[in-house]
Amino acid sequence: MAECLFCKIRDGEVSADIIFENDECLAFRDINPKAPVHFLVIPRRHIANLWDTKTSDEGLLGRIQLMIPKIAKDQGLDSGFRTVLNTGPGGHQEVYHMHYHVLGGGPFTGFN
Ligand code: AMP
Ligand code: ZN
C-alpha cells in the first residue's frame, strides 16, 4: 500500500476531484484552492520532486507540460494561468510527489 498521499489519490484510496487522466499523468483539484481554478498535475509514477528526476524522464516531463495548456483550456482558463512546481523545503514543498500547480480564473490568495 502506498504511503504517499498523491499515490493514494492515483490508486483511488483517497478521493479527489479528478479532472483529467491519461496513461502517465493525472490532474485533480487542489483541496485548498488559492485561486478560483487551482488544480494539480502529477505523473502517475511516484517521483518525489525535480531532484528525483533523471535524463530518462525528459520525455515524461515534456509530455506532462504539453498537457497543461490543454487541461487549462478545458477548465476555462482562456486568459492565461500560472504554473508552479515546488521542490524541497526551500521551495515550500509539502507533498513529496511531484506536482505542477495550475492557477487562474481570478485573484490568487495566500499563494507563496
Ligand atoms: P506543495 O506545497 O507544492 O507540496 O503543495 C501541496 C498542495 O497539495 C497544496 O496546495 C495542498 O492544498 C494540496 N493538497 C493536499 N492534500 C490534498 C488532497 N487530499 N487533495 C488535493 N489537494 C491536496
Ligand atoms: Zn507518490
Side-chain angles (χ1 to χ4, degrees):
M1 185 116 86
E3 291 301 317
C4 165
L5 174 63
F6 289 175
C7 283
K8 288 181 175 172
I9 288 176
R10 175 200 64 203
D11 294 342
E13 294 164 11
V14 168
S15 64
D17 187 357
I18 294 171
I19 57 171
F20 173 83
E21 53 187 320
N22 68 13
D23 59 336
E24 55 188 4
C25 69
L26 189 67
F28 52 89
R29 294 192 195 285
D30 195 292
I31 203 166
N32 183 18
K34 314 296 192 305
V37 176
H38 182 180
F39 61 87
L40 307 175
V41 185
I42 68 167
R44 281 190 180 278
R45 177 160 63 84
H46 182 89
I47 299 173
N49 53 40
L50 284 180
W51 282 332
D52 195 27
T53 56
K54 301 181 281 300
T55 305
S56 58
D57 294 320
E58 65 184 7
L60 172 68
L61 295 174
R63 287 189 296 277
I64 293 175
Q65 286 200 51
L66 289 168
M67 284 312 305
I68 290 175
K70 299 181 199 300
I71 305 167
K73 188 174 191 334
D74 286 346
Q75 294 301 311
L77 300 179
D78 295 323
S79 69
F81 54 88
R82 180 178 293 177
T83 310
V84 175
L85 200 173
N86 297 324
T87 301
H92 297 270
Q93 184 177 9
E94 291 170 6
V95 178
Y96 278 71
H97 183 133
M98 189 184 142
H99 49 280
Y100 293 88
H101 293 259
V102 183
L103 304 104
F108 299 165
T109 52
F111 194 69
N112 65 20

